[in-house]
Each structure stands twice: as C-alpha cells, then as structure tokens.
Amino acid sequence: MSAPERDHGTTAVGRPTLELRGVDKSFGAVQVLHDVHLTVYPGKVTALVGDNGAGKSTLIKGIAGIHPFDSGEVEFEGERVTLHSPRDAAKLGIEVVYQDLALADNLDVVQNMFLGRERKRGVLLDEQSMEVAARETLAKLSVRTLKSVRQLVSSLSGGQRQTVAIAKAVLWESKLVILDEPTAALGVAQTRQVLDLVRRLADAGHAVVFITHNMVDVFEVADRVAALYLGRVAADVPIDQVDRTQVIELITSGRSGDLGLSAEDLED
Amino acid sequence: MSSNTLTAAEASGPQKPAAGFEGDRQDNTLGGAVRGYLDKLRGGDLGALPAVLGIITLGILFTVLRPGTFLTPLNLANLAVQATPIIVLAMGLVFVLLLGEIDLSAGVVSGVCSAVLAQVLVQSGFGWPVAVLAAIVTGAVIGMFTGSLVGMVGIPSFVVTLALFLGWQGVTLRLIGQGGTVPVREPVIRALANENLPLAVGWALAVLVAVGYAAIELWRWRAKRARDLAHQPLVLVVLRVVLMAVVVLGVTAILSEDRALSAAVDLAGIPYAIPLVILLLLVVTFVLSRTSFGRHMYAVGGNAEAARRAGINVTRIRVMAFVISSSLAAISGILATSRLSSVTPDAGAGNTLLYAVGAAVIGGTSLFGGRGRARDALLGGLVIAIIANGLGLLGVAAYLNFVITGGVLLLAASVDALARRRAATAR
Ligand SMILES: Nc1ncnc2c1ncn2[C@@H]1O[C@H](COP(=O)(O)OP(=O)(O)O)[C@@H](O)[C@H]1O
Ligand SMILES: [Mg+2]
C-alpha cells in the first residue's frame, strides 16, 4: 500500500472528527451508557472494544441518531451538534455499517448503495448514473470480488455483503465511518479483505470506528483503542501505549495497571 | 456462503487493478443471460414462468375439453372482460403484498365503491365523471383508514382487514338495501365492459403499444451499452420485443373478428376495459420500477429496518400501499359494475378477494413481501379468469368450482413458500 507510514495515533493531528463528552443512555430503568467520553480522529482507525453487552452497539446507535443519547455533549468537527435521527447523522457525514448490515436482499448492489438517496432525473430514477457511481466507488476501494453490480444482494456471500455495506458508506463522501463487528461472521480470506478495506478507508482520510472482539484485528489495523466496560470508557488511547494483555484486561475488568476505571467507578 | 466460494472467485477473478466487474461483460452474452436465468430459477425466483405455463396448459386443456366453444373470439372476448376486475384488484394487492401485508377487505372495498358509484349515478343524478371520482375517492379514504390502523396504530393488517371485511359488507348492504339491486344504465360506465373500440382505433393502439415498447427497449439497451453498463444481449431484447408485438397484434386480431352470434349484427373490436387495464398496467409498472417511491416500496418489503435506517419513511410507505390498493379496488369495482350493469348488496364479497390474491400470487408476487410486479396481476388474473371461464363452460357444479379455485390458490402459495425456502438455503 502506498499510504504513508502509520504513526499509531500518537501525534493526533488536526481537530477530532467526533468528540463525545459525558454521554449517558438508558433503556427504561437500565442505564446502558455512563458518562462516555470518546474522541475520533480523521485518517485514523479507532478500535472500539468491549465484552458482549458492554454497550458498543448502543454507543454507535446513539452516534447514528437511531437511539439518541439522553444527555451529554457531541461535537462534530469542532461544532456542537444534535443527533436525533438517522438523517441528522447522514447530513453530517456519519455513515454506519451495522452488524446486521441492513441491506435489502431483494434489491441489487446499486439499489442498496443508493437506498434512500436515489439519484433522479425529474421523477425518474437515474439508474445509469447510479450504476456508474457505484462501480467507481467499488473500483476505488479495489473491490474485485463482485461479479456484477446488478446482482441481487441475496446472492452474495457474507464477505461480499460486508463489502457492499462498507462501499455504501463510502459512496457518500462520509467523514466518519462506523463499522459494527464487520468481521464477526467471516472466514479468514474474507476477514483479510475487510481489514484491508478498513485500512484503505482511513488512508483515504475518513475517520473510522471499528468495533471488534478480535485482538488480532485490533492490532492489525487500529491506530487507537477505546475500551468499554459495563457502559463506561475504561481507556481511549493510541495503540502503541497498550499491548494485547492490557487490552484484554481492560475489556474483562475495566482496568489494567494505571490505565482504566477508578475503584469507585467499578463499585457500581 | 462459505469462504471457499470467495477464495475461488478471487483466484479466478480479474487481477487488473481497479477494474472489478468482468462479470458484467460475461452477463451481456446470451449464454450469460441464460445461465443467469437458470440461476434465478434454481434460487427459487420463478418469475412469470408458472403463470405463462398455466395460461398455455389451461388454454390447451379447455380447448380440448370444449372444442369449438373455448377458443372462439366470442368466448375469448368474454374471458378478457371477465378478467379485468380481477386484474385491477390484484394490481392493487401487489402493493400491499410487496410489504408482506395482506388486505382481506380489498374485495368488499371494491363493493362499497361500486355502491357509492351506483348511488351517485342513480340517486343523486350526477354524471359519470362525478360518480367515478366519488368511487375512487371513497377507495382512497378507505385505504387511508386501513393504512393508518396498520402503519400508525400497528395492528396486524390481517386483523384490521378481517374486521373491515365484515364491516364494509355492512356498509354496502346499507347503501344498496337488503335484497335490492341497483341497476346501472349510465352509457359510459356500461360501455367499459360492453362496448368495443372502433376497429381502426384498436389497431392503431395495438401498433402504438408494440412500436413504443420496441423503441423504449432498444433505446435503453443502446444507452446502457454505450456507457458500458450491465445489459442484456441484443438477441434477448429483440426476442422480447418480437414476442410482445406478436401477443399484442395477435390479441387485437382475434378481438377484431366479428364475434356476433347472429349474422344480422356486428360485434367486433377491443372492449374499452382492456386499454384501461393496459394503461393502469403501464402506470403501476412505471411507479414501481422507475420512481424512488416504488424503490422504497421494495426496500420496505425486503427489509423494513434497512429502509428505516436509510431514512425512508416506512409508515408513509405502509399507508400509501393501502391507499393505492383501495383506490385500484374502486376501479375494479367500477369495471365489475359495468360488466354486471348493476350493483348488488354482496358486490365484492364471495370469491372476489380470493381470485385477486390468487392472481397476484400465481403471477409471481410473494406473500412474504419484497417481490411483485404489476404484470403479475395481469398474467395471474388471466390464469384465474381462464379457470373460472373454462369451468363455467364445462358446467362444473358450483361446489367443485369453489374447491378447484381454492386449490389453485393453495398451490400457488405453496410454490411461493417453497421458492422462499430454496432462496434461504441457496445462500
Ligand atoms: N433497545 C434496547 N432496549 C433495552 N435494552 C437494550 C437495548 N439495546 C441494548 N440494550 C441493552 O444494553 C446493553 C448493551 O447492549 P449492546 O450495546 O448491544 O452491547 P454490545 O454491542 O457491546 O454487545 C445490553 O445489556 C442490552 O441488553
Ligand atoms: Mg453489538
């Protein structure tokens, strides 16, 4: 890859793309997110890690405007913003690739990539220009595994579906791309492809948040690691300041050495 | 979906950087298209195949069983007119079925709208434009009501429309009166199913449809090829164009023959109801396949959550599906009224709904949502009409007629369910 050498996020250049400060979220009586702080930088991959039920999906659904946060501040490129609906997020340039992918099986690749934002000429759908743009995006990401952009999504393999979902996010000149466990259901070769794709996204200047359970993936592509423990951020640090054992400790117990949550936070 | 397939694809895939879609080019050959079609069949998407096979086999069957009666211009014209209310009702149901919902009240809604039509014509003495408008607006309002209960309140459509199935029959009964029949003699309404286009106009329309279809298909093929987009091989496009021309001109030729039983009168030409149905077919096809509204319809039917996340107003789409369905039910009611020249208290009840659902499903619309087209209603409606017409000619006992038609719907639904299973396991 021709990309510049990774600096592992130590020199966090430029202003953050997204900054969360003191974000809370409850579902009824259950508080899922507690006072969450998170900073995401352009051109960097932030791995968001945490045990099952730690609140990773809830956190990104808040950023996506699907389940808006109850309180706390959100800054996007230095500006205070509100994220109350998927449209708010989309307008800012936030694209989410969900764990369940959210593709319509009965539509083809192009139709899925433009879903909800179809190009039109008058009332007519401009199928041709959409097909051209979809192909260009896939080519830019060096995606070579799709037979045709007019294939129905139902006929694609897991890795191909993931690719389409990611390409869909990239199509929109997005500033922040969030991927919820993109490699969870994939085999070795497909995981490889998705990780390469994630790296290329960041190298192209997107800020990337990448949720995963897999330590190999984390150390392979991430510039920064943010660890969630029971809805709290245990650490949000450059990757070269932690090793594998520490990240696992942060995930399983919320602290590791002098990193992590304080004793009173761990109390409740 | 295994990693094996992917690695295999990678190994054989094009290695040119940043050019990823050699497959498109393969698909553009005839072999590729045939392979693609077979893949689709194997994947469980039978498309128009069952309906086309049904029309052909049933046509042969009834021709053999009733030679000299079934395959005559008179009977075929009858059959076509018989089919029109079924086709239009089914076309509306396609919208509802696309979302994976059902409208059990569609038939009786067409009945209510017929009753409104009759009352406006007969009691209030307005002309046909007012009456037709009143009927269609009634349909739209009813659809808005049904759609709101389903889309906004969140009651399953099965329950809402089951309740309305009973409710609207009461309204029709109230409008028409117990045991009453309101005759409709308004000439324009009556003409729909009982009068024919002048022969020259019929031929002109037929040629227009055939040539227009050819022009659009070939123009699109050229535009796609010029931009190097995925397109079908030219042979296939030409084949489709020729087939369309043969069917359209063939039907016109049959309907243009004198079908009067006595030599003293002339009875020839395309019944007015047919161009009306063709027009609706074009409009619905256009809306579903060429507008973003139609695209969103499919998306909601295929994956409502994905549609919601894509910023589509899913509730609006749900409500609109019922509005369109009920409005088309009103037009279906107008056609039925024209054919019978009257409205009875049981208008739209009985087997009306079953016929329409059967038509849509036989035509290839899935009961599970996400798959369906306007032409499904046309092809499936013809199958249903052939069965009804043929059994009528055979003089089959009423009970058998019910059993057979019910059986056909079950058969179509089984094909749909099995196709879905195949599609699920194919992945
Ligand atoms: N819509 C919801 N309603 C109620 N509780 C929820 C909802 N979504 C998530 N939760 C709860 O929030 C917690 C965090 O879930 P989630 O964000 O999915 O975790 P993760 O993605 O880290 O595995 C879990 O205990 C889960 O049960
Ligand atoms: Mg999750």
Side-chain angles (χ1 to χ4, degrees), chain A residues 168-248:
Chain A
K168 177 183 178 184
V170 175
L171 184 63
W172 300 103
E173 306 283 301
S174 46
K175 293 172 177 144
L176 171 60
V177 180
I178 304 176
L179 305 135
D180 194 356
E181 302 210 30
T183 57
L186 303 184
V188 180
Q190 303 188 30
T191 299
R192 176 78 263 143
Q193 280 174 353
V194 170
L195 290 182
D196 285 348
L197 197 51
V198 167
R199 195 60 243 168
R200 282 199 290 271
L201 282 184
D203 292 342
H206 302 270
V208 181
V209 174
F210 173 57
I211 299 183
T212 183
H213 273 297
N214 187 323
M215 282 313 120
V216 180
D217 292 2
V218 171
F219 284 90
E220 179 125 15
V221 292
D223 302 298
R224 298 178 59 87
V225 193
L228 266 186
Y229 178 74
L230 298 180
R232 290 186 162 80
V233 174
D236 178 9
V237 293
I239 191 86
D240 54 5
Q241 293 182 12
V242 285
D243 62 25
R244 200 187 150 104
T245 329
Q246 281 176 304
V247 175
I248 291 172

Side-chain angles (χ1 to χ4, degrees), chain A residues 61 66-67 86-87 98-107 111 115-118 120-121 123-132 134-136 138-140 142-150 152-161 168 185 187-190 193, chain B residues 1-7 9-10 13-27 39-40 45 98 219-220 223-224 227-231 286 289-292 295-299 301-303 305-313 369-371 423 427:
Chain A
K61 280 180 183 150
I66 291 186
H67 295 149
R87 275 184 194 281
Y98 295 94
Q99 201 164 2
D100 49 7
L101 292 186
L103 298 173
D105 269 359
N106 58 335
L107 299 182
Q111 293 170 341
L115 190 58
R117 293 179 276 201
E118 292 82 7
K120 280 182 274 190
R121 266 198 208 164
V123 289
L124 277 177
L125 289 171
D126 190 352
E127 293 288 354
Q128 300 189 7
S129 116
M130 289 193 276
E131 185 172 328
V132 169
R135 284 156 145 266
E136 275 170 5
L138 287 163
K140 214 159 55 190
S142 311
V143 171
R144 272 182 237 107
T145 58
L146 285 182
K147 219 172 86 192
S148 160
V149 287
R150 287 300 180 184
L152 289 189
V153 161
S154 60
S155 70
L156 301 183
S157 74
Q160 291 173 324
R161 293 159 75 87
K168 177 183 178 184
V188 180
Q190 303 188 30
Q193 280 174 353
Chain B
M1 51 156 157
S2 69
S3 52
N4 294 347
T5 24
L6 196 89
T7 26
E10 266 178 327
Q15 294 304 316
K16 269 189 293 171
F21 307 100
E22 303 292 283
D24 281 353
R25 226 142 289 144
Q26 269 173 38
D27 275 352
D39 276 351
K40 226 172 79 173
D45 183 0
L98 259 183
W219 181 79
R220 276 180 35 204
K224 282 185 186 173
R227 298 181 70 170
D228 201 20
L229 301 176
H231 60 269
F286 176 83
S289 61
R290 302 262 164 261
T291 68
S292 56
R295 180 64 41 81
H296 296 172
M297 208 89 204
Y298 285 98
N303 186 343
E305 182 57 22
R308 193 176 77 88
R309 289 182 195 171
I312 294 168
N313 186 339
R371 200 180 72 222
R427 255 211 267 126

